[in-house]
Amino acid sequence: MQPNIQVIIELAKYKMPFGKYKDQYLVDIPEYYYTWFKQKGFPKGKLGNMMQQMYEIKVNGLEELMYTIRREY
């Protein structure tokens, strides 16, 4: 199964639209923020899906991949 590179690029470049971390890239937001949402429930829709994906990336230590993608695309 091939990942859709456009989805990954969008995830690497997406910024938080609200709250304490407004206008920060999702990858730059601390892992504890995603852990809290994991426990309480992620938002519905696209943002929630992206936050869930970023949670998995952070838990698995793959942030550097997101930084590389953001730099190169």
Side-chain angles (χ1 to χ4, degrees):
M1 186 168 131
Q2 289 275 340
N4 183 332
I5 189 67
Q6 292 303 324
V7 171
I8 295 170
I9 292 169
E10 183 180 18
L11 181 60
K13 293 184 171 190
Y14 201 83
K15 291 185 178 184
M16 179 59 81
F18 67 86
K20 179 179 182 177
Y21 296 105
K22 183 177 181 178
D23 295 329
Q24 291 190 28
Y25 291 107
L26 293 182
V27 70
D28 293 337
I29 296 171
E31 185 178 328
Y32 72 81
Y33 189 74
Y34 295 105
T35 302
W36 183 86
F37 271 103
K38 174 96 172 138
Q39 294 169 351
K40 300 294 182 186
F42 288 101
K44 301 286 184 215
K46 181 178 181 176
L47 176 61
N49 290 335
M50 294 179 106
M51 290 176 70
Q52 287 176 4
Q53 292 170 13
M54 193 57 67
Y55 170 79
E56 293 298 328
I57 287 167
K58 288 188 164 284
V59 166
N60 290 295
L62 300 172
E63 295 100 324
E64 191 57 41
L65 175 64
M66 293 288 105
Y67 295 130
T68 300
I69 291 168
R70 193 169 74 201
R71 274 192 311 268
E72 293 185 11
Y73 294 92

